[in-house]
Amino acid sequence: MKRVLFLFSLWAALSAGAQTITYDTIRVSPDDERNIHLNRSRDVVVSSGSLPRENIHTAGRQPAAFDKSKLRFGANLGLSISRDYTNMGFGPQIGYQFNDYLMAGAGIKYYYTKARASQYEIRNNLLGANVFGYFYPVNFIALFAQPELNYIWSEMTSRTTKDSLTDKGVVPSLVVGAGFRLGRSHITLNYDLVQHANSPHPEGFYLGVSAFF
């Protein structure tokens, strides 16, 4: 009887051990969904491969470079009327404030002048285009440059014989200046480097005032 009990106990222990070993070492196909190593490797690939790729695309996106709030509008206006002299001018300009140190832009202008002398009446017309730039090394100092091309046609008429002489042509100018910045306005001392004989700018140094909004 003791031998039977011993054999039964030995058989039970071997059966339990065999079941445990079989459960831990079960063989499954590599594509089987019960393969926990396959599922674990897939999780690692997804978490490590997708996030850096999204970060790269996000970092490459830049905001729009053009900002409408940085546009600046100005105009040169002139009006002087008397018995023997008339001067009218209009010149819209548009600029862009790139940063705290630089504003640049372009403009057009038209001037009309009529003057009467004792013997002659002179009429001048000017149509021009320009580009300009203001550089601010410090907040209240302005350095100014404006190259421009002006087309001028003029007529001089004798008041007695009514004979007239006409003249026309393109006149280049390169105006530079330096002065003070007051908000969006400038007061500068300017000089035309070209000094063309028919330049619309005064000879030598002259005062310039501009305002932008």
Side-chain angles (χ1 to χ4, degrees):
M1 184 66 181
K2 293 180 178 180
R3 181 177 296 178
V4 173
L5 292 175
F6 174 77
L7 293 176
F8 179 79
S9 299
L10 180 62
W11 176 81
L14 292 175
S15 298
Q19 290 176 358
T20 302
I21 294 171
T22 303
Y23 179 78
D24 287 342
T25 60
I26 185 171
R27 296 179 178 274
V28 296
S29 172
D31 299 329
D32 197 302
E33 62 181 1
R34 292 173 297 173
N35 190 336
I36 61 174
H37 300 288
L38 178 62
N39 294 334
R40 186 177 303 165
S41 63
R42 287 176 180 171
D43 293 339
V44 172
V45 171
V46 171
S47 62
S48 63
S50 60
L51 292 179
R53 197 172 293 133
E54 292 175 359
N55 291 336
I56 292 174
H57 292 303
T58 303
R61 295 173 185 168
Q62 298 295 333
F66 181 76
D67 186 354
K68 291 183 178 180
S69 65
K70 294 184 178 181
L71 288 174
R72 303 289 182 260
F73 299 94
N76 295 320
L77 301 176
L79 178 62
S80 178
I81 299 177
S82 65
R83 180 179 178 182
D84 295 324
Y85 182 80
T86 301
N87 181 25
M88 296 182 294
F90 176 67
Q93 290 186 306
I94 181 171
Y96 188 83
Q97 190 75 51
F98 289 91
N99 50 49
D100 293 337
Y101 302 98
L102 177 64
M103 181 180 71
I108 58 175
K109 61 182 176 180
Y110 173 74
Y111 292 162
Y112 171 77
T113 303
K114 183 177 73 171
R116 287 183 179 180
S118 59
Q119 299 294 327
Y120 295 95
E121 180 180 273
I122 301 173
R123 298 186 182 187
N124 290 324
N125 294 270
L126 179 148
L127 181 62
N130 64 76
V131 294
F132 65 89
Y134 285 91
F135 175 67
Y136 312 109
V138 296
N139 186 49
F140 59 91
I141 297 295
L143 303 179
F144 170 66
Q146 178 172 294
E148 57 186 42
L149 285 177
N150 301 301
Y151 182 75
I152 299 176
W153 64 100
S154 60
E155 181 180 12
M156 183 173 65
T157 304
S158 172
R159 299 183 64 180
T160 56
T161 65
K162 302 302 180 181
D163 295 334
S164 62
L165 297 174
T166 59
D167 187 17
K168 57 185 177 180
V170 176
V171 177
S173 296
L174 176 55
V175 181
V176 296
F180 297 100
R181 177 189 187 187
L182 306 173
R184 295 184 182 178
S185 301
H186 311 86
I187 300 177
T188 56
L189 189 62
N190 298 340
Y191 184 80
D192 183 4
L193 295 177
V194 178
Q195 289 293 306
H196 192 280
N198 294 324
S199 173
H201 303 285
E203 294 183 3
F205 292 94
Y206 65 95
L207 191 65
V209 179
S210 66
F212 291 86
F213 304 94

